[in-house]
Amino acid sequence: MVEALTNFFEDLGMRKIPEQLEFLLTPENIPFAIWETLYAPLLATVLAYVIGLPLGILLVTGEQNGIRPLPRPLMQVLNTVINLLRSIPFLILMVLVMPLSRLILGTSVGTMATVVPLTVAAAPYVARLVEGSLREMDRGVIEAAQAMGCSPWQIVTKVILPECKPSLITGATNAAITVLGYGAMAGAIGGGGLGAIALMRGYNRGQTLVLYVAVIILVILVQIIQSVGTALAVKTDKRIQKTNSKKEKRK
Amino acid sequence: MIEIKNVAKTYKSADGDFTAIRNINLTVEDGDIFGIIGLSGAGKSTLVRCINLLEVPTEGDVLIDGQSMLSLSHKELLAARKKIGMIFQGFNLLSQRTALGNVCFPMELAGVPRKDAVKRARELLQIVDLGSKENSYPSQLSGGQKQRVAIARALATDPKVLLCDEATSALDPKTTRDILALIRDINKRTGITVVVITHDMKVIEEICTKVAILDGGVVAESGSVEEVFSSPKTEAGRRLVYPDGIPFEMLPNSRVIRVVFNGGTAYQPLIASLAIDCGVKVNILGADTRSIDGKAFGTMLLGLPESESEATRALAYIAAQKDITVEEVRDYRG
Ligand SMILES: Nc1ncnc2c1ncn2[C@@H]1O[C@H](COP(=O)(O)OP(=O)(O)OP(=O)(O)O)[C@@H](O)[C@H]1O
Ligand SMILES: [Mg+2]
């Protein structure tokens, strides 16, 4: 079978096929690469939400006509820092953040070490995504909650977040996919995973077949994340009549 | 009792300050259904939002049962708001909660145990006639049903006051009447004080006992609905009560009189009896009459016949009727 495949690909003009096939067909190589591709970005996304979600909430609630206005200078600093971090290209940010990785993890190389720059890059992005979701919300509902004697904290936890849940899930899907892309880039400075394989083997060593396989798996991973995210967002959104009428029928 | 004392609200913005309301003095007695009517931009929403301090007045004070709202601490204000229900033109329900969940919401805030809250919420949904819809989400309800849920939600914490900001403006006439009937019913049953904001005369007629006309940020006139609507004293009042103006089709040289119905038990077929009893035909130039609580109110503009003797006879006949006053309009120009 290996021979047949070798002939097939070599007929297509690819070279060094046996070596590539050996790598691809070794049982643990690809699954391990997938794991490395996923865990660092997903961990970074979670951490980015730990930082970015409160920041995004503050960006909306802290406004002058928000539910809990914060001092104007504070808001300006917050906005500027977020914009600053977002304007640094990720490759450069990775290098800049290396000392921080060393400080936190004791190392600046390896897949785990990419979590730090990924988080730093994703947190401001997440803050803006969250801000966008919250701004879409109907202000009237917040007003009604205020009229009922809701405290600002209750408005955030009991009104804004539950009301924005579908939109926040959509945002989180976006964030995860973007960070996955960054993570693949991190292969350039010592991260592992499909990105590193595509870069090191596929591009640097001319292993075209490995390159294609790595990219195709990345595409599939993104498709899966997107589909799951969209399905979850639709499923939780009670404003969408279609899913609800189904539920109604079941009763 | 709600006392609005010399309240003014000035909005500050980049392009200058804007005083939306000023010199507002109103008293709403317990159990009243008090209407505040005015054209768009008159400051109605601003005024009603000053009552629960969603908008902080820049001047004056609001007293509820003698308690100054402005002197409350933040915590006390949150507690006070739980005793003031509010409903809105846009319903403002939580879209991700069922009808039941929405009604439970204010009780959740107040720390009512879940089981008790659900029980009370079910009762309230029964009262607003939505018992069968407790598991529906707002997106599955009609406008009228959404407003019923909002009413149930507003009543959940047993408030003493219900504020309605254009609560029926997004609804069709039939649904409007149903919702108004519901509010009146709840008022009768619980004695809750209701403040109704509207730009629609019919809403005031339908349920209010007292009315204030808001015009350009000030109260143009206020009083009982009968009083204000039967003979509006101000230009703003007349504009509201006769929105289409008084049609004009006057014969040359004839005198014009205004006949005011002051609440006789029913309309006298005045024009017909004029023709029969004294053989005089008059021109109806305009009429705006309505019945409030079964009594007739409103005015009618009549062009008298050119013959002086006929005119005098008609005038004497009308003046002799019960519950009708008549005055000559000298500067009538339509
Ligand atoms: N937050 C605000 N900042 C500045 N101006 C405002 C603000 N809210 C209201 N206004 C102004 O105050 C005036 C009164 O507004 P308000 O909403 O009270 O009117 P309204 O009588 O309720 O009108 P409508 O019937 O259209 O609801 C308007 O001219 C409006 O532009
Ligand atoms: Mg308004």
Side-chain angles (χ1 to χ4, degrees), chain A residues 140-141 143-144 146-152 154 158-159 162-163 166 236-239 241 244 247 251, chain B residues 49 52 54 74 78 81-82 84 86 88 92-96 105-106 108-109 135-137 139-140 153:
Chain A
V141 179
E143 197 176 303
Q146 284 175 319
M148 284 183 249
C150 250
S151 67
Q154 287 174 317
K158 288 180 169 284
V159 179
E163 283 291 293
T236 51
D237 196 346
K238 306 299 190 252
R239 289 170 301 182
Q241 305 244 355
N244 292 337
K247 212 193 266 167
K251 265 187 292 185
Chain B
R49 292 159 55 84
N52 58 4
L54 283 182
H74 183 65
L78 295 186
R81 280 183 182 159
K82 294 193 165 80
I84 306 172
M86 190 167 186
F88 305 83
N92 297 347
L93 297 176
L94 296 161
S95 63
Q96 307 292 347
F105 182 69
E108 236 171 86
L109 295 178
N135 290 321
S136 298
Y137 288 94
S139 65
Q140 299 167 307
R153 181 176 72 174

Side-chain angles (χ1 to χ4, degrees), chain B residues 253-305:
Chain B
N253 299 326
S254 77
R255 291 155 71 190
V256 175
I257 56 167
R258 177 184 286 124
V259 180
V260 181
F261 295 86
N262 291 330
T265 44
Y267 286 120
Q268 316 247 352
L270 184 69
I271 309 304
S273 55
L274 252 179
I276 296 162
D277 291 348
C278 44
V280 175
K281 276 195 198 135
V282 293
N283 276 316
I284 302 177
L285 299 175
D288 197 302
T289 49
R290 48 191 87 236
S291 116
I292 300 166
D293 276 345
K295 296 176 184 166
F297 289 97
T299 64
M300 215 179 245
L301 270 191
L302 300 178
L304 295 179

Side-chain angles (χ1 to χ4, degrees), chain B residues 10-76:
Chain B
T10 302
Y11 290 110
K12 293 201 184 347
S13 73
D15 36 61
D17 294 355
F18 178 79
T19 301
I21 51 171
R22 60 186 185 283
N23 295 333
I24 308 283
N25 284 292
L26 290 171
T27 301
V28 183
E29 302 287 348
D30 284 343
D32 266 359
I33 303 186
F34 195 103
I36 296 172
I37 186 168
L39 301 173
S40 184
K44 308 179 295 289
S45 295
T46 305
L47 176 55
V48 78
R49 292 159 55 84
C50 279
I51 295 178
N52 58 4
L53 251 55
L54 283 182
E55 216 70 80
V56 182
T58 35
E59 256 177 65
D61 199 354
V62 175
L63 277 67
I64 295 184
D65 292 335
Q67 169 65 57
S68 153
M69 291 296 278
L70 277 165
S71 67
L72 296 175
S73 72
H74 183 65
K75 258 219 172 94
E76 291 168 334

